[in-house]
Amino acid sequence: MGKVVSSVPLWKRILAYFIDVILLSFFILSSLTEQLTLDFDSSESVFQSFASYSTSFSSDYLLLAFTFAFFVLLYFSVFECWFGQTVGKIILGLQVEGTKKKQVSFLQAIIRNITKLSGGLLFLDTLYLLLKKGNQRYFEVLSDTHVVEEVKHA
């Protein structure tokens, strides 16, 4: 088994990311959103229930957003630091490693994954990958990491 650095197609990286996001959404959001459900009491009109709920919605939503963001960063960083890959990357045969063939440190993993907290930042980070010829996102360059694919040699 050898590792080929430059031939990891973008679609595989995106698919691995979506697999991870679906898993995170299922496990984290399903438990957190139970607290955000509307409970319509028969003594209140729908409007009264919604009005009383919407005043607390902003703080509940912020708590949910920050909690989810924390777990997203923790998930990607811990899995890539400890195992070199997330569940999505395992399924697609991808791995994260340092550009000097070393294991990724926790700080490197945080730096490379910080853009996953914002869709806009992640888009710009991926756009860098498309415009440059190194097959690395900008924050991968900053963290001195890259994604490699294991291929079988005949």
Side-chain angles (χ1 to χ4, degrees):
M1 288 274 236
K3 293 179 184 173
V4 178
V5 174
S6 62
S7 67
V8 179
L10 182 59
W11 70 266
K12 278 190 174 183
R13 294 176 66 153
I14 292 171
L15 183 57
Y17 173 74
F18 279 116
I19 290 169
D20 291 324
V21 168
I22 289 168
L23 286 173
L24 282 168
S25 297
F26 179 74
F27 288 112
I28 296 170
L29 286 180
S30 62
S31 63
L32 293 176
T33 55
E34 289 175 7
Q35 300 167 11
L36 296 177
T37 58
L38 288 172
D39 185 24
F40 293 115
D41 186 11
S42 60
S43 65
E44 290 183 323
S45 71
V46 172
F47 177 75
Q48 288 171 325
S49 255
F50 183 75
S52 65
Y53 175 76
S54 65
T55 58
S56 66
F57 176 73
S58 60
S59 63
D60 288 346
Y61 178 77
L62 284 175
L63 178 63
L64 175 69
F66 283 120
T67 304
F68 187 69
F70 171 77
F71 280 112
V72 165
L73 187 58
L74 188 67
Y75 167 81
F76 281 98
S77 298
V78 166
F79 271 74
E80 290 179 357
C81 175
W82 289 356
F83 307 110
Q85 48 194 171
T86 60
V87 173
K89 286 180 181 73
I90 290 169
I91 291 170
L92 294 173
L94 306 178
Q95 188 164 347
V96 176
E97 64 180 26
T99 54
K100 295 175 179 78
K101 306 292 185 207
K102 292 184 179 179
Q103 182 177 348
V104 175
S105 73
F106 191 65
L107 180 60
Q108 284 177 300
I110 288 175
I111 292 169
R112 67 173 269 107
N113 289 303
I114 199 80
T115 60
K116 292 182 173 89
L117 300 179
S118 165
L121 281 177
L122 185 58
F123 174 76
L124 291 173
D125 200 25
T126 305
L127 189 60
Y128 178 89
L129 178 145
L130 295 171
L131 298 175
K132 295 291 185 176
K133 295 292 182 203
N135 202 27
Q136 287 177 289
R137 295 181 293 114
Y138 182 70
F139 278 74
E140 290 175 340
V141 172
L142 289 178
S143 65
D144 212 16
T145 62
H146 56 204
V147 178
V148 295
E149 182 175 20
E150 293 188 19
V151 293
K152 295 179 182 176
H153 292 290

